[in-house]
Structures are given as C-alpha cells and as structure tokens.
Amino acid sequence: MITYANEHALSYVPPVVKKKRKERKVSNDLEYTCRVCGRRFYTNEKLINHFKQIHECENMKRVNQIESARGSRRVNLVAKYATKMHKYKSASRDILSPKVGYGLADELRRAGFWVKCVPNKPDASDIGIRDHLLDMMDKKMVDCVLLISDDPNFVEVLEEAKSRCLRTVVVSDVREGVLKRTADASFSWEEVLMEKAKKEAVAVVGRWKDRDVLKTLEWTYDPERDRKYYLLSDIDSENWSDGENGDDHFLQKEDSGAWWELDS
C-alpha cells in the first residue's frame, strides 16, 4: 500500500493539539510518562534523560549478553528478554525519535503504508497517485485497485482500471459520490471500523467470481467470426456433395459392363 502527501500535510499539527502542547508546557502537571517503567516527569527533557541513563543502558547490556552467548544459552536469553526489548523499542520510537508535525508519517508507516512525500504544489499528490496506479496497471502488477479518497478527480483512474478488466474498490465517507458509483464495490469508514466491510468482502468476491463464470458462458455476436465460420461450413458442404456425386458416377461407370467380362 502506498500513500502520497506533501510536506505541509505531514508537518501539519491540528489547533487542538497545539493548544494542549502549550498548556502542557505552562502547567506543572506530571504529563510526561515513561512507557517502560511508568515513572512520570514534569518536562520532556527530564524524561529523555531518564530514558537514556537507565533504560538505554539496560538495553545495551541485554544486547551484549545475547551477542556474547552461544547455543542454547543464546536462545534462552532471547526468549527471556524478548518482551522487555520489544517494550523498549516501542517506547524509544516515541521518546528518542522526534515527531514531525503530528506524527502522521510514522503512524502510516507503522500501519504498513509506503509514504512518499511530494512537493508543495497544487494536486501534486493526486498526480503522483494517478501516475503510480497507471504504472502498476501497465506492468500488470495488480488485479484490484483499492482507492481511499473522496476526490472525484480519480474517476478517470477507476474507469481506466475497469477498461483493463481490473476490480475497483473505494473507501469514502461521501455517501453517493462519483467514485462509489464508478467502482465495483464501495465502503464507508464506519463500515470498515465496524468490520461490516470485512464481512461483505466475502460476498463481493463471490459475486465477482460468478460474474466471471457467466462471462465465459455468455454468447456474443461477432460478425467477422460468424462470417468465417459459415463460409467454411458452406465450402465443406459443397466438397462433401461433390465427392458424393463423384462416387456415384464412378460406381455407375464401373457397373456399365457385365460382371463376367474381365479387363485384358
């Protein structure tokens, strides 16, 4: 899965989040919590120092123990420290690595998307998505196009995909948009969150398979094909009739003489 966004979208911070961040800096509440040990701090700087001095050193000791061990002891150490190391990695990703904007790019990558940043130009992300989809279609790398968008400018992309016999699915909050009317199947975000789309996906795929079977059984009129077929049939029938008359003539010619007269 891939998503295109410009620098402004990735670095944008909602006003509500900005307000909360300002209030957090002014207030003396213990807002910063260590996700490894649960200890709380007044400022983010103290949290970072605590994390580096204690948890980062502990993690380095675990890594050194695992690297120096051999055989079954190494396997036992990996199993012993697996939970702690996973907890440390998830916490360090949020504490040590600074977030860009609201952390949208990190969340998308964590969800399995490939995030590609485009210049801050009008419709730059739309052009990037369109070109990427067309390139994938040309290389025949996809059988189904899943588009998550409310932008009606992608109608041409869906029509191009359908002209190439590809399945199209749209996820959008617009109830009766152009994209939903053009796509083979459409879902809303509410249906996705309620897992209603997951249940209906099985029925949708079943309908697609039935449609493919019916297309193979459906008769279509092709004048060129029928003309060639009937032309060959006429020629075969004429050859068969000529051969039949020729055989009768040959038999009559042989039967013209007496049966006891032999050729000398």
Side-chain angles (χ1 to χ4, degrees):
M1 295 181 289
I2 184 172
T3 179
Y4 284 78
N6 53 27
E7 297 177 358
H8 174 71
L10 296 177
S11 60
Y12 173 74
V13 179
V16 179
V17 179
K18 288 183 179 180
K19 185 178 180 181
K20 287 184 178 180
R21 288 180 178 178
K22 289 181 180 180
E23 292 176 355
R24 184 182 297 175
K25 290 181 180 180
V26 174
S27 63
N28 293 325
D29 296 335
L30 297 174
E31 293 289 342
Y32 298 94
T33 305
C34 179
R35 294 179 56 184
V36 178
C37 62
R39 188 175 175 181
R40 305 175 69 184
F41 300 89
Y42 288 105
T43 60
N44 189 36
E45 289 77 9
K46 291 185 178 181
L47 172 61
I48 294 175
N49 293 333
H50 159 78
F51 193 86
K52 288 182 177 180
Q53 292 175 3
I54 297 178
H55 300 301
E56 192 172 8
C57 294
E58 290 178 351
N59 187 69
M60 288 298 297
K61 290 180 181 178
R62 298 190 194 101
V63 173
N64 293 332
Q65 286 182 8
I66 293 173
E67 290 180 352
S68 61
R70 294 291 183 273
S72 60
R73 186 171 180 272
R74 182 186 180 93
V75 176
N76 294 332
L77 287 175
V78 171
K80 180 181 178 181
Y81 296 138
T83 305
K84 293 182 179 180
M85 295 182 71
H86 176 72
K87 194 174 183 179
Y88 169 81
K89 287 182 180 179
S90 61
S92 63
R93 184 169 52 242
D94 296 334
I95 297 175
L96 298 181
S97 58
K99 286 186 177 181
V100 178
Y102 191 47
L104 177 61
D106 296 335
E107 293 296 330
L108 289 172
R109 292 190 185 97
R110 192 181 305 176
F113 284 86
W114 177 47
V115 181
K116 188 170 183 180
C117 186
V118 296
N120 290 324
K121 295 181 180 179
D123 298 333
S125 58
D126 296 348
I127 295 172
I129 294 174
R130 184 192 62 192
D131 295 342
H132 180 78
L133 287 174
L134 293 176
D135 183 59
M136 297 284 282
M137 293 178 196
D138 293 336
K139 295 179 180 178
K140 297 181 180 180
M141 299 176 63
V142 292
D143 296 328
C144 179
V145 176
L146 172 61
L147 183 63
I148 304 175
S149 177
D150 298 332
D151 193 350
N153 294 327
F154 290 112
V155 175
E156 297 179 357
V157 178
L158 294 179
E159 292 176 350
E160 179 66 23
K162 294 184 71 174
S163 66
R164 302 189 186 195
C165 299
L166 299 178
R167 307 301 183 188
T168 55
V169 181
V170 171
V171 178
S172 173
D173 285 333
V174 180
R175 292 185 178 180
E176 296 181 357
V178 182
L179 297 178
K180 288 189 174 182
R181 291 196 299 267
T182 308
D184 296 323
S186 60
F187 303 99
S188 63
W189 278 113
E190 184 178 358
E191 293 175 344
V192 174
L193 294 175
M194 295 175 62
E195 295 187 355
K196 185 178 179 181
K198 185 178 180 180
K199 296 178 182 178
E200 292 183 358
V202 180
V204 171
V205 174
R207 288 198 298 268
W208 287 350
K209 291 181 179 179
D210 295 341
R211 193 184 305 171
D212 293 338
V213 173
L214 291 175
K215 282 184 178 180
T216 57
L217 300 176
E218 185 181 7
W219 178 82
T220 55
Y221 174 67
D222 188 355
E224 186 68 21
R225 181 192 62 191
D226 293 344
R227 187 180 66 80
K228 292 181 180 179
Y229 173 75
Y230 288 114
L231 182 61
L232 292 175
S233 299
D234 295 340
I235 294 173
D236 293 339
S237 61
E238 290 177 0
N239 293 335
W240 181 80
S241 60
D242 292 342
E244 185 179 2
N245 295 332
D247 293 341
D248 293 341
H249 178 70
F250 179 74
L251 292 174
Q252 292 176 2
K253 186 176 181 181
E254 285 188 349
D255 294 341
S256 59
W259 64 272
W260 62 82
E261 293 181 359
L262 300 176
D263 295 335
S264 57

